[in-house]
Amino acid sequence: MRISRRVLAAAAVIAVLPLSACGSGGDDGGSADASGKIEGDITFQTWNLRANFKPYFEGLIAEFEKQYPGTDVKWIDQPAEGYADKISADAAGGTLPDVVNVSPDLVAPLAKAGLALDLDKAARQYKKEYLPGAWAGHQIPGMSGTYAFPWYLNTGPLFYNKSLFDKAGLDPDQPPKTYDELFTAALRIAEKTDGEVATLANVPTIEDFGRYGVPLMNKEGTGFTFNDAKGVELLTKYKELYDAKALDPQALTATPESSGKKFLTGAVAMNPGSALDLGNFKKQAPNLYKNIGITDQITSTGHVNMYVMGVMVNAQTERKPAAVAFAHFVTDAEHQMSFAKQVAIFPSTAGSLDDPYFTQEDGTDETRVRVAAAQSLKTAVNYTPVLFSEQMKTELRNAVARALQGKESPKEALDNAVKACDRLLQQQG
């Protein structure tokens, strides 16, 4: 996946396979046995990583081929645009590479079609090497098994503008820690600035409902449940913020990039981000950087949100031992750590987050963010359901917009969104 200012935040693009490609749930395309000699030619596909990390991957492949004489890894890198469509076309046409860089939502239709190897069967000896939450990231509701090795993770703090808090009479050194405190502070800032400064710039997404403690799906993975009383409560709170201009009026059409710009210009008091953003603040908004506050994600569950990227093995590969060995090689502790030191992401391997690189601060904000994020990742959760497609996200976003604009009540809007998402879920096969 392309690593950018919003690392992994835009990673969820569902690949809906043609119905003709669908297999029986849990079918792994043949034997899950990955034992045998590690040899032969395999293909490895990444998601827009060649431009920035060509030397890293060429070195990684050379190291693997040296360790396993008789192997040859052909590296393919696909552009970010249309990646899901490319995977869908390859899956339908029988040309899916042996080892594929995926996000959890991309792996779901492949697993349902019997094209993703079940690692709980084929590579269970490696499970203990990874953080439990990361290993679970590529499990599919309603199916047994795990369908990709966890690769890199990311999460981030909430940034806030201390000067805007101070001007509103709020303690700039005591940012909101709970949702109640957040909503109270947001209304206060809007009131004190006559609606000129919003505290938040984005409408709630599915992960926000998850962080608030809303149950998102039933355990069987057959239906969505985010329209329960707690979900309605959250959307009702956002409606109150929207009416008071404590939620930016343009939030209905906002993107992470547009929200970031609003935060840079002082039009918004708080915004989520990552360590990568600090360098951007320093260059583009030195006054903001001087007044930057850093606090934890707000959650009612005690678990922050985690984005996870994975490496899947094609269940139909003719070189299963080599493909599994290489997927594990890419994602083992040594290679995840070396990759994490090149870019602001985090390894998914157990124990890696205890490395001094992730535990020791040097007095800079960058290391402060990195250390805090690494600590929170140990118990983080990927709240976005793997079955929650782009179409479903659109349905939820439209429902939220109708509620905020007063066209439907929060309950009516969420009820309709759940009905629409359930219909789309049935169409996934």
Side-chain angles (χ1 to χ4, degrees):
M1 174 66 187
R2 174 175 59 92
I3 298 177
S4 67
R5 192 168 150 269
R6 287 281 174 266
V7 183
L8 302 174
V13 185
I14 196 75
V16 180
L17 296 175
L19 291 178
S20 59
C22 287
S24 59
D27 177 16
D28 65 10
S31 171
D33 184 14
S35 62
K37 189 173 182 182
I38 297 170
E39 61 181 359
D41 300 351
I42 58 172
T43 50
F44 169 49
Q45 179 171 290
T46 52
W47 191 348
N48 199 27
L49 293 175
R50 186 183 293 272
N52 293 324
F53 304 104
K54 183 180 178 183
Y56 172 81
F57 285 102
E58 287 180 339
L60 183 77
I61 290 168
E63 185 184 348
F64 178 80
E65 292 173 345
K66 182 179 179 181
Q67 185 170 329
Y68 297 100
T71 60
D72 185 274
V73 180
K74 180 184 178 183
W75 177 29
I76 306 164
D77 188 64
Q78 298 291 351
E81 191 71 28
Y83 188 72
D85 293 336
K86 174 65 175 154
I87 287 182
S88 182
D90 284 344
T95 56
L96 197 65
D98 300 295
V99 180
V100 187
N101 177 189
V102 291
S103 54
D105 52 325
L106 287 178
V107 94
L110 297 172
K112 287 186 172 185
L115 296 175
L117 188 66
D118 180 0
L119 300 179
D120 284 342
K121 294 178 180 177
R124 57 185 174 275
Q125 69 270 31
Y126 299 128
K127 180 177 180 179
K128 62 183 180 298
E129 297 179 19
Y130 300 88
L131 293 170
W135 185 265
H138 293 89
Q139 294 172 351
I140 317 300
M143 297 178 67
S144 61
T146 299
Y147 295 93
F149 284 102
W151 194 8
Y152 54 86
L153 312 175
N154 214 347
T155 191
L158 266 177
F159 293 116
Y160 68 100
N161 189 323
K162 287 187 173 183
S163 65
L164 294 178
F165 272 63
D166 191 39
K167 288 175 183 175
L170 298 169
D171 187 341
D173 296 317
Q174 296 292 326
K177 298 291 185 185
T178 67
Y179 280 100
D180 284 345
E181 291 176 4
L182 172 64
F183 298 141
T184 299
L187 292 171
R188 174 75 174 268
I189 290 171
E191 179 189 356
K192 290 293 183 179
T193 62
D194 292 324
E196 291 296 314
V197 176
T199 296
L200 302 176
N202 293 289
V203 298
T205 61
I206 194 69
E207 71 187 51
D208 293 306
F209 282 89
R211 264 198 302 251
Y212 195 68
V214 179
L216 304 178
M217 287 194 87
N218 61 30
K219 290 182 180 179
E220 297 75 28
T222 58
F224 292 97
T225 57
F226 54 81
N227 59 334
D228 85 331
K230 202 159 183 64
V232 174
E233 178 182 283
L234 178 64
L235 187 51
T236 301
K237 293 284 188 182
Y238 265 85
K239 166 67 172 163
E240 186 180 352
L241 298 184
Y242 184 75
D243 290 344
K245 295 188 178 179
L247 175 65
D248 186 77
Q250 295 177 356
L252 300 179
T253 57
T255 64
E257 289 71 27
S258 66
S259 301
K261 287 177 183 175
K262 292 239 176 187
F263 184 67
L264 278 175
T265 60
V268 170
M270 301 188 82
N271 204 54
S274 71
L276 289 173
D277 291 292
L278 287 169
N280 192 40
F281 299 155
K282 195 181 291 187
K283 288 179 188 174
Q284 297 188 30
N287 286 335
L288 170 65
Y289 186 74
K290 285 189 294 186
N291 287 291
I292 200 74
I294 305 170
T295 189
D296 295 332
Q297 288 182 29
I298 294 173
T299 167
S300 295
T301 65
H303 303 282
V304 303
N305 187 62
M306 167 178 70
Y307 299 105
V308 57
M309 195 54 69
V311 177
M312 184 201 90
V313 175
N314 182 349
Q316 297 181 345
T317 176
E318 296 179 359
R319 304 289 187 183
K320 203 165 288 181
V324 170
F326 183 71
H328 173 251
F329 190 81
V330 170
T331 62
D332 69 18
E334 177 187 350
H335 297 107
Q336 286 212 44
M337 180 61 76
S338 63
F339 194 39
K341 289 184 177 179
Q342 294 198 22
V343 65
I345 48 91
F346 299 86
S348 63
T349 38
S352 296
L353 297 177
D354 294 322
D355 186 273
Y357 183 73
F358 296 112
T359 60
Q360 295 180 6
E361 295 186 33
D362 62 9
T364 64
D365 286 333
E366 286 80 1
T367 59
R368 178 184 162 197
V369 170
R370 184 168 69 221
V371 168
Q375 180 64 28
S376 68
L377 276 170
K378 291 180 180 180
T379 58
V381 173
N382 179 17
Y383 285 109
T384 304
V386 297
L387 299 176
F388 202 68
S389 69
E390 279 297 300
Q391 289 174 288
M392 294 172 191
K393 290 176 186 177
T394 299
E395 291 289 351
L396 176 57
R397 189 177 185 89
N398 290 342
V400 167
R402 292 193 299 270
L404 296 183
Q405 293 170 329
K407 295 177 180 178
E408 294 178 359
S409 71
K411 184 172 190 329
E412 185 182 11
L414 290 180
D415 284 346
N416 288 335
V418 163
K419 287 177 186 175
C421 291
D422 283 347
R423 281 196 299 271
L424 289 168
L425 185 64
Q426 295 302 315
Q427 293 170 16
Q428 287 183 8

